[in-house]
Amino acid sequence: MSRTWHPPACTPVTLLFVYGTLRGQIRRFLPATLHHAVHLLGPARYRGRLYDLGAYPGAVPDPDHFVHGELYALRCDDAPRIFTYLDAYEDCDPQRPEAGEYRRVQDTVLLPDGRAFSAWIYLYNGALSQARPIPSGDWLRHRGQPR
C-alpha cells in the first residue's frame, strides 16, 4: 500500500514591519481578541532613513540607509481588522494615502541573514524640515531603550 505525502496545512500570513512605538508594543494597540493573530518573527530592517518627530519616529525610503525594527506575521483572516486599528493609530487612510500622517505600503524588508520579504510598513507622509535624522536607524537605541 503506497501512501501519498501531503505537506502540513499552513496558515496564510501577512507580514508587517514596525520600527517605532509599535516595537514590542503592538498588542497594546489591539483588542485582546486579536492578540492570537499577531506573532513576532524577529528583527528586520528596511532600506530607508529614520527621523525623530518628537514623541515618535517616521521612516522614508532611502536606498543608502537602514531602518531597524521588527517583522510580524499577521493571520490573513484577521489582517483587515488589525489594520483597521493600526491605520487609526498611525493616522493612515488607505482610501486617501496622501491625506494622513503616514501611508501604508508594501515594500521589501530584510532579515538579519539577508533574506528579503515583502511586508507592510507605515511610511511618513509629512514634511521633514523640522525632523532630525536618526543616524543609527534604530528608534529604541536612539531613545536609550533596551532592544
Side-chain angles (χ1 to χ4, degrees):
M1 171 161 87
S2 85
R3 292 185 180 208
T4 305
W5 181 82
H6 295 284
C10 296
T11 303
V13 297
T14 297
L15 299 177
L16 171 67
F17 176 77
V18 300
Y19 56 84
T21 57
L22 291 174
R23 277 177 76 178
Q25 302 289 319
I26 195 166
R27 285 187 175 97
R28 186 175 130 200
F29 299 97
L30 299 173
T33 56
L34 289 174
H35 288 186
H36 74 282
V38 179
H39 300 283
L40 175 64
L41 298 177
R45 59 192 176 147
Y46 169 71
R47 287 198 178 276
R49 178 161 266 194
L50 194 62
Y51 289 87
D52 186 334
L53 303 173
Y56 51 87
V60 296
D62 185 328
D64 298 324
H65 294 88
F66 283 106
V67 173
H68 299 274
E70 299 167 346
L71 187 61
Y72 284 87
L74 313 179
R75 283 183 36 154
C76 282
D77 293 348
D78 296 307
R81 287 179 47 220
I82 292 168
F83 284 125
T84 296
Y85 286 96
L86 297 180
D87 287 350
Y89 175 73
E90 297 285 1
D91 185 25
C92 170
D93 181 351
Q95 303 305 313
R96 295 180 38 232
E98 70 288 346
E101 186 172 19
Y102 289 83
R103 68 188 191 286
R104 180 167 41 95
V105 301
Q106 278 191 296
D107 208 342
T108 302
V109 298
L110 303 168
L111 297 183
D113 65 8
R115 286 183 292 158
F117 291 92
S118 179
W120 289 101
I121 181 174
Y122 288 92
L123 296 176
Y124 186 61
N125 229 13
L128 294 169
S129 58
Q130 301 298 315
R132 292 178 306 150
I134 298 173
S136 69
D138 189 320
W139 175 246
L140 296 183
R141 181 174 162 197
H142 176 71
R143 301 291 284 196
Q145 297 173 326
R147 288 188 264 167

